[in-house]
Amino acid sequence: VTIEIIAFLNTGSVVLSVAEGGAAHRYAVNENIAFTIREAIPFVKYEGTCGNNAKWEIYSNGVLKITGSGAMAEYGATGAPWYKYADEITAVEIGKDITTIGKFSFFGLQNLKNVVFAENSSLESINWGAFGYTGIVEITIPATVKVIGGHAFYNCYSLETVNFEADSQLSVIETCAFLNDTALKNVYIPDRVVTIEIIAFLNTGSVVLSVAEGGAAH
């Protein structure tokens, strides 16, 4: 992470092999030393716990991984332990045994673009404000999710596409879940949905919902 000045002074025709985008890369450019670039192998920069049995890690490539099992902890709007590294986070990966994404877990991560859930996910709920004010463009919600909490995706101004895995168990979309998602387009509402609370899709521009005839979404 650090190469100090004149570390390679008077090294003749040395060529540094550096990881792309890393400190050595910047050093070589700044010091006008010849270099070749290799793809960087991501490493853990920060880590901690985020639930009784859940753990988080931020990698050098901007990926925040949530692993372990059970429910994630609940947070205030800027209380998640990774919030201090918000500018570095561009992607989130949720492990298959996580059952709940806690309140405000990823709120305000404006550089967050991609969210990936593990295959055979056990996720059951996405709680209040979990992805509010993020930069996500598309998300595919696991079939096991039953509840999308209030404000879960509100003010996601870049969010265009919300997909649900086949045989979705979703039953409830709470109030303001997609409030102000002005880029949102077509959304297929799963057949098992029994409740969509008020203003869940308020100010979503030209969104078109695909609904089951006679169902709650209809």
Side-chain angles (χ1 to χ4, degrees), residues 33-45:
I33 296 175
F35 63 92
T36 59
I37 295 177
R38 64 180 186 275
E39 184 176 355
I41 299 173
F43 60 89
V44 175
K45 294 182 69 174

Side-chain angles (χ1 to χ4, degrees), residues 173-193:
I173 300 174
E174 294 183 352
T175 185
C176 300
F178 297 95
L179 175 69
N180 295 332
D181 294 352
T182 52
L184 198 59
K185 298 177 181 177
N186 300 330
V187 179
Y188 181 99
I189 304 297
D191 292 358
R192 288 185 174 88
V193 170

Side-chain angles (χ1 to χ4, degrees), residues 42-47 55-67 82 85-95 106 109 111-116:
F43 60 89
V44 175
K45 294 182 69 174
Y46 321 105
E47 60 185 330
K55 177 183 177 181
W56 63 274
E57 296 173 324
I58 296 177
Y59 285 76
S60 56
N61 60 355
V63 176
L64 168 58
K65 292 186 179 182
I66 308 296
T67 56
W82 44 81
Y85 313 116
D87 291 346
E88 299 183 40
I89 299 170
T90 58
V92 167
E93 297 181 5
I94 308 292
F106 308 111
L109 301 184
N111 292 330
L112 174 60
K113 305 298 182 185
N114 300 304
V115 179
V116 177

Side-chain angles (χ1 to χ4, degrees), residues 29-198:
V29 171
N30 292 337
E31 296 295 320
N32 198 29
I33 296 175
F35 63 92
T36 59
I37 295 177
R38 64 180 186 275
E39 184 176 355
I41 299 173
F43 60 89
V44 175
K45 294 182 69 174
Y46 321 105
E47 60 185 330
T49 59
C50 54
N52 290 337
N53 297 297
K55 177 183 177 181
W56 63 274
E57 296 173 324
I58 296 177
Y59 285 76
S60 56
N61 60 355
V63 176
L64 168 58
K65 292 186 179 182
I66 308 296
T67 56
S69 62
M72 293 175 61
E74 304 276 298
Y75 299 106
T78 58
W82 44 81
Y83 189 80
K84 67 183 73 174
Y85 313 116
D87 291 346
E88 299 183 40
I89 299 170
T90 58
V92 167
E93 297 181 5
I94 308 292
K96 72 179 187 66
D97 294 320
I98 297 297
T99 58
T100 301
I101 295 177
K103 182 178 179 180
F104 287 125
S105 285
F106 308 111
F107 177 87
L109 301 184
Q110 296 188 10
N111 292 330
L112 174 60
K113 305 298 182 185
N114 300 304
V115 179
V116 177
F117 299 95
E119 292 185 16
N120 302 314
S121 173
S122 302
L123 191 67
E124 296 180 359
S125 62
I126 300 173
N127 287 358
W128 184 279
F131 290 97
Y133 282 97
T134 59
I136 58 175
V137 176
E138 180 176 359
I139 191 165
T140 297
I141 295 174
T144 50
V145 171
K146 297 179 175 65
V147 178
I148 295 177
H151 294 78
F153 294 95
Y154 81 120
N155 292 343
C156 292
Y157 303 117
S158 299
L159 181 60
E160 296 181 358
T161 305
V162 177
N163 299 311
F164 295 92
E165 289 184 345
D167 197 30
S168 172
Q169 306 298 305
L170 185 69
S171 62
V172 177
I173 300 174
E174 294 183 352
T175 185
C176 300
F178 297 95
L179 175 69
N180 295 332
D181 294 352
T182 52
L184 198 59
K185 298 177 181 177
N186 300 330
V187 179
Y188 181 99
I189 304 297
D191 292 358
R192 288 185 174 88
V193 170
V194 295
T195 301
I196 301 179
E197 295 184 355
I198 58 172

